[in-house]
Amino acid sequence: MTRVLSCIQPTGDVHLGNYLGALRNWTLGQHDADAFHGIVDLHSLTAIEAPGIIGENTIKLAATLFATGLDPDVATVFVQSHIFEHSQLCWVMECTVSFGELSRMVQFKDKSAKREGEFIPAGLFTYPALQAADIVLYDADEVPVGDDQRQHVEITRDIAVRFNHRFGETFVIPKAVTPRAGARVMDLQEPTSKMSKSSAGDAGLVYLYEDPAAIVKKFKRAVTDSESEVRYDREAKPGISNLLDILSACTGDSAETLADKYSQYGPLKSDTGEAVVEMLRPIQARYAELIADKAELANLLRQGAAKARVVASATLERAYNAIGFLPA
Ligand code: TYM
């Protein structure tokens, strides 16, 4: 059976990009594969410095993962810091990736440029080594992610291939899987930038738990262009193409087919807003129920950790044996 692994950081409120690019596909794929999904709290330490926040975000994110449809009896949902093997294998990964490779990572360049003159943790630089550990620990064949994570999965492949070459066949070589529509949801106000938790303002971001009226309003105010033709062209018409892509992800119709149905921007904006509201409505209701019982969520995460640990510890042991560390 195909093994699937993907993770999300508990850094801020989950947005439509996270949902369409990743979470929705985790739920859709859980019955066809052996699925592992992690809340990667250690990664969040590159962005969050105050005490208490990460734990609170983690429990909310667990409620979100179950609200979007992950079934704890089917998929294994765990918290990264509960499985010590992630940090242990991370060091092995750090010794298997070069400084040059890490320097070429687009996310590192972007994030460190944004913090120019401020404290830039070394963890931001070595981040892809921890992500590689997350992936190879679970023998993942497929990693369902949004487009922005492709480079991180590519470097994981390079690291895993290099390790296998040095120490013998140990790790499964993973591949990234992105959805047909929604792999790169753009900011509604700045449609040439991806929708991101670290955006300057939130007028262009649609959060999963936002009030329906506010969501519709954000879509009505989405930045488009001064023409009036509805056409799917990411380069020339980023705003309209983003709306078509989102509507396509909601309805299942292709962006090109949808473009033929509209002759004006207004109806496209309001239909997209409505479609998003309808898609999110059951998730919002389920989240409200789940978050009311945090003890039960913590319990589900403990069960997930127990299942995850079995796989992770076997892989770490295999890697240590392949390297030939003296057994303890
Ligand atoms: P994170 O937490 O930023 O995002 C979680 C998932 O959401 C996707 N995503 C998007 N998809 C489409 N459009 C967007 N605008 C958009 N914004 C975010 C991301 O591609 C991701 O799939 N480094 C990862 C977390 C991670 C991980 C892993 C992922 C750590 N270890 C192992 C996979 C496997 C991250 O920061 O994702």
Side-chain angles (χ1 to χ4, degrees), residues 5-9 15 17-18 21-22 40 43 127 131 134-135 143-149 152 182-185 194-195 197:
L5 172 287
S6 196
C7 306
I8 179 168
Q9 291 195 66
H15 57 71
N18 297 129
V40 285
H43 278 100
Y127 183 111
Q131 182 157 348
D134 301 339
I135 297 172
V143 186
V145 281
D147 210 37
D148 64 330
Q149 293 299 318
H152 283 157
R184 197 168 184 81
V185 176
K194 71 168 182 180
M195 190 176 282
K197 292 170 194 165

Side-chain angles (χ1 to χ4, degrees), residues 46-303:
T46 57
I48 297 174
E49 290 160 11
I53 297 175
I54 298 181
E56 188 56 27
N57 287 354
T58 298
I59 205 82
K60 287 186 189 158
L61 192 47
T64 293
L65 297 189
F66 297 126
T68 54
L70 282 181
D71 178 345
D73 292 328
V74 177
T76 302
V77 178
F78 63 92
V79 177
Q80 187 185 34
S81 67
H82 295 177
I83 317 287
F84 299 146
E85 285 80 359
H86 287 255
S87 339
Q88 287 175 290
L89 192 65
C90 176
W91 177 252
V92 174
M93 300 286 101
E94 283 184 42
C95 295
T96 317
V97 67
S98 73
F99 183 87
E101 284 170 312
L102 292 176
S103 310
R104 287 192 287 278
M105 300 307 288
V106 173
Q107 291 220 343
F108 171 70
K109 288 197 245 179
D110 286 353
K111 289 188 178 173
S112 53
K114 276 191 191 152
R115 296 201 210 172
E116 174 116 47
E118 294 171 30
F119 179 82
I120 300 174
L124 201 57
F125 184 67
T126 57
Y127 183 111
L130 182 57
Q131 182 157 348
D134 301 339
I135 297 172
V136 300
L137 264 182
Y138 296 92
D139 295 327
D141 303 292
E142 294 181 0
V143 186
V145 281
D147 210 37
D148 64 330
Q149 293 299 318
R150 277 191 173 278
Q151 198 187 22
H152 283 157
V153 180
E154 279 308 311
I155 199 171
T156 300
R157 289 172 64 92
D158 294 343
I159 298 172
V161 166
R162 185 173 298 131
F163 183 98
N164 287 352
H165 184 70
R166 280 186 188 163
F167 300 112
E169 284 306 310
T170 306
F171 297 131
V172 172
I173 310 301
K175 72 166 193 281
V177 180
T178 51
R180 192 182 53 82
R184 197 168 184 81
V185 176
M186 309 307 269
D187 187 292
L188 298 183
Q189 288 300 313
E190 222 182 294
T192 49
S193 306
K194 71 168 182 180
M195 190 176 282
S196 158
K197 292 170 194 165
S198 55
S199 297
D202 69 2
L205 260 101
V206 175
Y207 296 104
L208 243 54
Y209 304 121
E210 211 163 338
D211 172 60
I215 295 179
V216 168
K217 202 164 168 188
K218 282 185 176 178
F219 275 98
K220 284 198 172 139
R221 292 188 179 160
V223 165
T224 47
D225 53 53
S226 55
E227 296 177 9
S228 58
E229 187 197 2
V230 177
R231 175 164 53 87
Y232 188 70
D233 182 338
R234 281 247 175 205
E235 291 290 308
K237 298 176 79 71
I240 288 297
S241 302
N242 189 34
L243 295 176
L244 287 167
D245 197 47
I246 294 171
L247 189 55
S248 164
C250 295
T251 61
D253 295 334
S254 78
E256 289 79 5
T257 309
L258 290 167
D260 291 342
K261 289 191 186 162
Y262 292 91
S263 54
Q264 286 175 309
Y265 290 178
L268 172 63
K269 288 182 179 182
S270 42
D271 284 3
T272 308
E274 294 294 345
V276 168
V277 165
E278 288 316 315
M279 180 180 66
L280 297 183
R281 201 184 293 282
I283 299 172
Q284 296 190 340
R286 184 90 187 101
Y287 177 83
E289 287 168 20
L290 288 163
I291 200 65
D293 192 351
K294 290 187 179 169
E296 173 59 9
L297 290 167
N299 196 24
L300 292 175
L301 292 174
R302 265 192 298 277
Q303 288 171 24

